[in-house]
Amino acid sequence: MTAPPVFDAAFRAQFETLLRWRRDVRRFRAEPLAEGLLDELLLLGDLAPSVGNSQPWRFVTVDEPARRAAVIANFERANAEALADYAGERAALYARLKLSGLREAPVHLAVFADLHPQQGAGLGRRTMPETIEHSATTAVHTLWLAARAHGVGLGWVSILDPDTINADLDCPADWHLIAYLCIGYPVEEHEDAELARLGWQARSPLSERLFRR
């Protein structure tokens, strides 16, 4: 039996630094990832916890130019519709935000949740079936931290119409889109979030979200 590792104070400090420097990246260098690095990151993402050990996430790399073009067009339509929901200074600020790195990122990765996986035999999902999507989201976060630890940036593009993505990527209809990710080496790195830095929304203290009963 292998002895469990000891995560000492130095490791915990480094882990906190990783969490603080985990950022949503939208500006990527054009160079490809190092050979084999994407596969390594996906293996680390696959270590995420899941309900009933179902591993419901489905990673889909998007390499074909036509499929990427369809996703970019999807984003541009959804982004224009989102902009129309704002007015005045908020609209002007929104229009200045860079909200995706779809044209620059060397890697496009769609993450789906298989809503009815055979693996896990339904354990833990009877009263909370949404834990399938929650599990796939933990895989995204695990991948995100792994990427940052390797000096790789990840950007989550949520301004999309998910109903067309399955068809555009030729994926089963019962796969639910969780995230569309841009992955690559970042042009610049910051500890603070870009939306806070540009005046859209600052982070709030934990005390506003912590309740005791």
Side-chain angles (χ1 to χ4, degrees), residues 204-213:
S204 57
L206 173 61
S207 59
E208 295 185 7
R209 295 178 299 281
L210 177 61
F211 305 90
R212 303 184 188 280
R213 298 289 187 265

Side-chain angles (χ1 to χ4, degrees), residues 3 21 44 47 62 98 110 113 116 134 142 160 168-169 175 201:
W21 280 84
L44 292 171
L47 295 175
V62 184
K98 181 173 175 55
H116 306 288
H134 299 337
T142 303
L160 291 169
D168 290 338
L169 302 185
W175 287 10
Q201 178 65 64

